[in-house]
Amino acid sequence: MGGNQTWITEVTLLGFQVDLALEFFLFGLFSLFYTLTLLGNGVILGLICLDSRLHTPMYFFLSHLAMVDMSYASNSVPKMLGNLVKQKKTISFVPCIMQTFLYLAFAHTECLILVVMSYDRYVAICHPLHYTAIMSWRVCIVLAITSWVFSFLLALVHLVLILRLPFCGPHEINHFFCEILSVLKLACADTRLNQVVIFSACVFILVGPLCLVLVSYSRILLAILRIQSGEGRRKAFSTCSSHLCVVGLFFGSAIVMYVAPKSRHPEEQQKVLFLFYSFFNPMLNPLIYSLRNAEVKGALRRALRRERPM
């Protein structure tokens, strides 16, 4: 990095820019949602670890999704909650950049984990006789590690490209956390290379995986329709519909934010989309999987029976 660059030491997160009473209301509401996010994903993760019946590839990847969701929310929500009740809504520049890096890393990881989960369902329904051979524990571990490592490496590319820029103002980010596009507005240099890399990464990590998921589920749908047993068809559809709900929420909001033309979405609408993407999705995922999955509900009942005193 050049010696003539000017570094910002801290920036102000403008957040939602509402009156004080509404800020305290939002603090209470978002605190409740954040608690539910940690509690819901923690319960899912605990059930998968403790119940041997859930020690299957499907729930192995679901446990990774729960870890990603908890990490994802914890990266931005605590700072947002703190700023809602503080007059000085600032963050130091280095933690801001780290927040950007972790946000990208966890978002990429969730994309890849959802794709791997769709592949797992494709093999389970379309090739049931070869499922244990194809989705061996070695394959599952390799897929999970690859998803995490590749995601952090891709986020590192964005980080390196950000750190090459001089940052000399403005000292305000019109957001509730250090989202990458907002951070780039602080740079006093040409950011076209960053924009190109961001768009290319979106196509690679969002559009490409979404196409793979859609192909997998088109094959799954055809296989489900060929199942003779009505009970088997309902069970397969219930499992897959939970995953499709999560995929729709995650990829849909992400593509709207990063791929759709920005002129259609003013900054305030973008904040709402990011709030949904980085806050509500992690809270809804465990609810979707627990409410629509008989095995998870069964594991929860067994855990509660064990805890109940005789």
PDB file of all heavy atoms in Angstrom, residues 54-66:
ATOM      1  N   LEU A  54     -30.100 -38.178  13.980  1.00  0.00           N
ATOM      2  CA  LEU A  54     -29.858 -37.051  13.073  1.00  0.00           C
ATOM      3  C   LEU A  54     -28.412 -37.006  12.580  1.00  0.00           C
ATOM      4  O   LEU A  54     -28.005 -36.024  11.972  1.00  0.00           O
ATOM      5  CB  LEU A  54     -30.203 -35.718  13.773  1.00  0.00           C
ATOM      6  CG  LEU A  54     -31.649 -35.561  14.254  1.00  0.00           C
ATOM      7  CD1 LEU A  54     -31.857 -34.172  14.851  1.00  0.00           C
ATOM      8  CD2 LEU A  54     -32.638 -35.804  13.126  1.00  0.00           C
ATOM      9  N   HIS A  55     -27.656 -38.071  12.853  1.00  0.00           N
ATOM     10  CA  HIS A  55     -26.274 -38.122  12.385  1.00  0.00           C
ATOM     11  C   HIS A  55     -26.236 -38.666  10.957  1.00  0.00           C
ATOM     12  O   HIS A  55     -25.737 -39.754  10.676  1.00  0.00           O
ATOM     13  CB  HIS A  55     -25.424 -38.983  13.317  1.00  0.00           C
ATOM     14  CG  HIS A  55     -25.234 -38.365  14.667  1.00  0.00           C
ATOM     15  ND1 HIS A  55     -24.571 -38.996  15.705  1.00  0.00           N
ATOM     16  CD2 HIS A  55     -25.622 -37.152  15.154  1.00  0.00           C
ATOM     17  CE1 HIS A  55     -24.573 -38.202  16.775  1.00  0.00           C
ATOM     18  NE2 HIS A  55     -25.198 -37.078  16.456  1.00  0.00           N
ATOM     19  N   THR A  56     -26.798 -37.872  10.055  1.00  0.00           N
ATOM     20  CA  THR A  56     -26.843 -38.207   8.633  1.00  0.00           C
ATOM     21  C   THR A  56     -26.297 -37.026   7.846  1.00  0.00           C
ATOM     22  O   THR A  56     -26.201 -35.913   8.379  1.00  0.00           O
ATOM     23  CB  THR A  56     -28.287 -38.497   8.182  1.00  0.00           C
ATOM     24  OG1 THR A  56     -29.075 -37.304   8.364  1.00  0.00           O
ATOM     25  CG2 THR A  56     -28.903 -39.638   8.987  1.00  0.00           C
ATOM     26  N   PRO A  57     -25.916 -37.232   6.568  1.00  0.00           N
ATOM     27  CA  PRO A  57     -25.378 -36.119   5.774  1.00  0.00           C
ATOM     28  C   PRO A  57     -26.294 -34.902   5.728  1.00  0.00           C
ATOM     29  O   PRO A  57     -25.828 -33.759   5.812  1.00  0.00           O
ATOM     30  CB  PRO A  57     -25.202 -36.750   4.389  1.00  0.00           C
ATOM     31  CG  PRO A  57     -24.933 -38.184   4.669  1.00  0.00           C
ATOM     32  CD  PRO A  57     -25.788 -38.516   5.854  1.00  0.00           C
ATOM     33  N   MET A  58     -27.609 -35.118   5.596  1.00  0.00           N
ATOM     34  CA  MET A  58     -28.535 -33.997   5.501  1.00  0.00           C
ATOM     35  C   MET A  58     -28.424 -33.089   6.726  1.00  0.00           C
ATOM     36  O   MET A  58     -28.329 -31.854   6.610  1.00  0.00           O
ATOM     37  CB  MET A  58     -29.967 -34.518   5.361  1.00  0.00           C
ATOM     38  CG  MET A  58     -31.013 -33.432   5.420  1.00  0.00           C
ATOM     39  SD  MET A  58     -32.681 -34.125   5.349  1.00  0.00           S
ATOM     40  CE  MET A  58     -33.650 -32.699   5.770  1.00  0.00           C
ATOM     41  N   TYR A  59     -28.419 -33.684   7.917  1.00  0.00           N
ATOM     42  CA  TYR A  59     -28.374 -32.890   9.141  1.00  0.00           C
ATOM     43  C   TYR A  59     -26.961 -32.424   9.460  1.00  0.00           C
ATOM     44  O   TYR A  59     -26.783 -31.433  10.182  1.00  0.00           O
ATOM     45  CB  TYR A  59     -28.989 -33.687  10.293  1.00  0.00           C
ATOM     46  CG  TYR A  59     -30.452 -33.927  10.068  1.00  0.00           C
ATOM     47  CD1 TYR A  59     -30.933 -35.168   9.639  1.00  0.00           C
ATOM     48  CD2 TYR A  59     -31.371 -32.886  10.210  1.00  0.00           C
ATOM     49  CE1 TYR A  59     -32.274 -35.368   9.398  1.00  0.00           C
ATOM     50  CE2 TYR A  59     -32.721 -33.086   9.965  1.00  0.00           C
ATOM     51  CZ  TYR A  59     -33.157 -34.323   9.549  1.00  0.00           C
ATOM     52  OH  TYR A  59     -34.498 -34.507   9.282  1.00  0.00           O
ATOM     53  N   PHE A  60     -25.970 -33.110   8.946  1.00  0.00           N
ATOM     54  CA  PHE A  60     -24.589 -32.625   9.054  1.00  0.00           C
ATOM     55  C   PHE A  60     -24.469 -31.265   8.364  1.00  0.00           C
ATOM     56  O   PHE A  60     -23.909 -30.311   8.925  1.00  0.00           O
ATOM     57  CB  PHE A  60     -23.642 -33.644   8.434  1.00  0.00           C
ATOM     58  CG  PHE A  60     -22.218 -33.161   8.303  1.00  0.00           C
ATOM     59  CD1 PHE A  60     -21.396 -33.067   9.419  1.00  0.00           C
ATOM     60  CD2 PHE A  60     -21.708 -32.819   7.055  1.00  0.00           C
ATOM     61  CE1 PHE A  60     -20.086 -32.623   9.289  1.00  0.00           C
ATOM     62  CE2 PHE A  60     -20.396 -32.382   6.922  1.00  0.00           C
ATOM     63  CZ  PHE A  60     -19.584 -32.288   8.042  1.00  0.00           C
ATOM     64  N   PHE A  61     -25.023 -31.149   7.154  1.00  0.00           N
ATOM     65  CA  PHE A  61     -24.975 -29.865   6.444  1.00  0.00           C
ATOM     66  C   PHE A  61     -25.902 -28.838   7.086  1.00  0.00           C
ATOM     67  O   PHE A  61     -25.600 -27.641   7.091  1.00  0.00           O
ATOM     68  CB  PHE A  61     -25.333 -30.071   4.971  1.00  0.00           C
ATOM     69  CG  PHE A  61     -24.342 -30.904   4.210  1.00  0.00           C
ATOM     70  CD1 PHE A  61     -24.749 -32.047   3.526  1.00  0.00           C
ATOM     71  CD2 PHE A  61     -23.005 -30.552   4.179  1.00  0.00           C
ATOM     72  CE1 PHE A  61     -23.834 -32.823   2.834  1.00  0.00           C
ATOM     73  CE2 PHE A  61     -22.077 -31.320   3.485  1.00  0.00           C
ATOM     74  CZ  PHE A  61     -22.500 -32.462   2.814  1.00  0.00           C
ATOM     75  N   LEU A  62     -27.018 -29.303   7.639  1.00  0.00           N
ATOM     76  CA  LEU A  62     -27.916 -28.384   8.344  1.00  0.00           C
ATOM     77  C   LEU A  62     -27.226 -27.790   9.574  1.00  0.00           C
ATOM     78  O   LEU A  62     -27.443 -26.623   9.912  1.00  0.00           O
ATOM     79  CB  LEU A  62     -29.195 -29.119   8.748  1.00  0.00           C
ATOM     80  CG  LEU A  62     -30.264 -28.288   9.476  1.00  0.00           C
ATOM     81  CD1 LEU A  62     -30.670 -27.083   8.645  1.00  0.00           C
ATOM     82  CD2 LEU A  62     -31.480 -29.146   9.793  1.00  0.00           C
ATOM     83  N   SER A  63     -26.380 -28.582  10.246  1.00  0.00           N
ATOM     84  CA  SER A  63     -25.646 -28.051  11.396  1.00  0.00           C
ATOM     85  C   SER A  63     -24.672 -26.962  10.955  1.00  0.00           C
ATOM     86  O   SER A  63     -24.490 -25.964  11.666  1.00  0.00           O
ATOM     87  CB  SER A  63     -24.892 -29.180  12.110  1.00  0.00           C
ATOM     88  OG  SER A  63     -23.833 -29.682  11.325  1.00  0.00           O
ATOM     89  N   HIS A  64     -24.071 -27.122   9.785  1.00  0.00           N
ATOM     90  CA  HIS A  64     -23.189 -26.077   9.261  1.00  0.00           C
ATOM     91  C   HIS A  64     -23.984 -24.823   8.909  1.00  0.00           C
ATOM     92  O   HIS A  64     -23.514 -23.695   9.136  1.00  0.00           O
ATOM     93  CB  HIS A  64     -22.434 -26.587   8.036  1.00  0.00           C
ATOM     94  CG  HIS A  64     -21.274 -27.468   8.374  1.00  0.00           C
ATOM     95  ND1 HIS A  64     -19.988 -26.996   8.528  1.00  0.00           N
ATOM     96  CD2 HIS A  64     -21.209 -28.805   8.610  1.00  0.00           C
ATOM     97  CE1 HIS A  64     -19.187 -27.988   8.832  1.00  0.00           C
ATOM     98  NE2 HIS A  64     -19.905 -29.100   8.894  1.00  0.00           N
ATOM     99  N   LEU A  65     -25.181 -25.015   8.366  1.00  0.00           N
ATOM    100  CA  LEU A  65     -26.038 -23.867   8.062  1.00  0.00           C
ATOM    101  C   LEU A  65     -26.394 -23.116   9.338  1.00  0.00           C
ATOM    102  O   LEU A  65     -26.403 -21.877   9.358  1.00  0.00           O
ATOM    103  CB  LEU A  65     -27.304 -24.339   7.343  1.00  0.00           C
ATOM    104  CG  LEU A  65     -28.266 -23.237   6.871  1.00  0.00           C
ATOM    105  CD1 LEU A  65     -27.617 -22.367   5.803  1.00  0.00           C
ATOM    106  CD2 LEU A  65     -29.557 -23.844   6.338  1.00  0.00           C
ATOM    107  N   ALA A  66     -26.669 -23.841  10.410  1.00  0.00           N
ATOM    108  CA  ALA A  66     -26.989 -23.203  11.689  1.00  0.00           C
ATOM    109  C   ALA A  66     -25.787 -22.422  12.222  1.00  0.00           C
ATOM    110  O   ALA A  66     -25.938 -21.306  12.738  1.00  0.00           O
ATOM    111  CB  ALA A  66     -27.430 -24.258  12.704  1.00  0.00           C
TER     112      ALA A  66
END
